[in-house]
């Protein structure tokens, strides 16, 4: 009976030592995905492609905004010179 307990104890110690040795082989790492994405050359290439594609549209929008502002200024100037009856039309 005593030898059985001793052999059981040795088996338990062996299993604990094997699991401890196996645990030492694992490495845990933390990856910052945002930082990896910012540094990737693919992201920089896509930013360049998108910038080229949408820069024309951006310029068109800015041009239309300027044109709209000029029309609003013209409307303000002309409405002050119109009579009350003409403004309501």
């Amino acid at each position: 009976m005593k030898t059985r307990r001793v052999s059981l104890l040795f088996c338990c110690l062996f299993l604990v030592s094997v699991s401890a040795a196996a645990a030492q082989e694992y490495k845990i790492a933390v990856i910052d995905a945002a930082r990896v994405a910012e540094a990737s050359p693919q992201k920089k290439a896509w930013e360049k492609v998108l910038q080229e594609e949408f820069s024309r549209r951006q310029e068109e929008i800015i041009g239309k905004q300027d044109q709209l502002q000029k029309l609003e200024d013209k409307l303000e100037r002309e409405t002050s010179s119109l009579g009350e009856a003409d403004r309501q039309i």
Side-chain angles (χ1 to χ4, degrees), residues 1-83:
M1 188 74 157
K2 191 174 187 180
T3 56
R4 190 172 187 178
R5 285 186 185 178
V6 170
S7 62
L8 183 61
L9 178 66
F10 280 125
C11 285
C12 289
L13 288 174
F14 176 73
L15 290 175
V16 169
S17 65
V18 168
S19 65
Q24 290 177 356
E25 293 177 15
Y26 296 113
K27 293 184 179 182
I28 298 174
V30 177
I31 298 174
D32 186 5
R35 184 173 154 207
V36 171
E38 282 293 322
S40 72
Q42 292 89 355
K43 180 185 181 283
K44 292 176 183 175
W46 275 107
E47 282 180 345
K48 185 177 179 182
V49 168
L50 289 174
Q51 182 67 28
E52 289 172 358
E53 182 175 337
F54 289 104
S55 65
R56 286 180 284 129
R57 293 180 188 175
Q58 184 75 16
E59 290 172 4
E60 287 176 13
I61 290 171
I62 290 171
K64 288 182 179 185
Q65 285 175 338
D66 291 341
Q67 184 181 7
L68 181 62
Q69 184 64 42
K70 289 176 185 176
L71 288 172
E72 286 178 352
D73 292 342
K74 181 180 177 184
L75 179 64
E76 257 184 59
R77 284 192 311 265
E78 289 180 1
T79 54
S80 63
S81 64
L82 293 176

